[in-house]
Amino acid sequence: MQSDAGEEHLRAALKRLCSLGLNKIVRVDPALAAALRVPENSSPSEAHELTRRSLLAHSDRLEADLRVVFLEAGGFRRDSPTTGPARVQAAADQLRTSRRTAYRRLGDAIEQIV
């Protein structure tokens, strides 16, 4: 089990990932890479792919609506909107809910993944 500080770093890393979008990150956050057991000697492209696969696997354990909002907000689709708020709005549209509710559900998804 991670320490409280480790959980905070992981939570912050996942929030940053959702803010930027998976397809826009240049380097995987060290806290996220460590939690997902991405080897330290991985190239940036390998680390990115391992992170993507691992987060997809973790998202499979989420309830359907949490999975939708996490994957959409995280920018897992190649044609995802370019900004975080637009991706959260896309998730809200898919779930037929408000953007505020989508943000709250994104927080719930991140908590469950942590």
Side-chain angles (χ1 to χ4, degrees), residues 68-69 72 77 89-97:
V68 166
V69 75
E72 192 66 45
R77 287 187 299 114
Q89 184 61 56
D93 293 346
Q94 284 184 40
L95 297 174
R96 296 186 177 132
T97 189

Side-chain angles (χ1 to χ4, degrees), residues 34-78:
L36 298 175
R37 295 183 179 96
V38 173
E40 289 182 28
N41 61 348
S42 297
S43 71
S45 62
E46 290 172 325
H48 187 274
E49 181 59 17
L50 291 170
T51 299
R52 185 186 71 78
R53 285 184 199 171
S54 184
L55 288 174
L56 282 171
H58 283 289
S59 73
D60 281 343
R61 298 179 187 136
L62 298 172
E63 312 173 6
D65 64 330
L66 294 182
R67 185 173 199 274
V68 166
V69 75
F70 179 75
L71 294 178
E72 192 66 45
F76 281 78
R77 287 187 299 114
R78 293 196 190 287

Side-chain angles (χ1 to χ4, degrees), residues 2-15:
Q2 299 230 349
S3 68
D4 289 340
E7 286 179 5
E8 274 306 309
H9 286 123
L10 181 56
R11 190 174 290 111
L14 287 168
K15 286 179 182 178

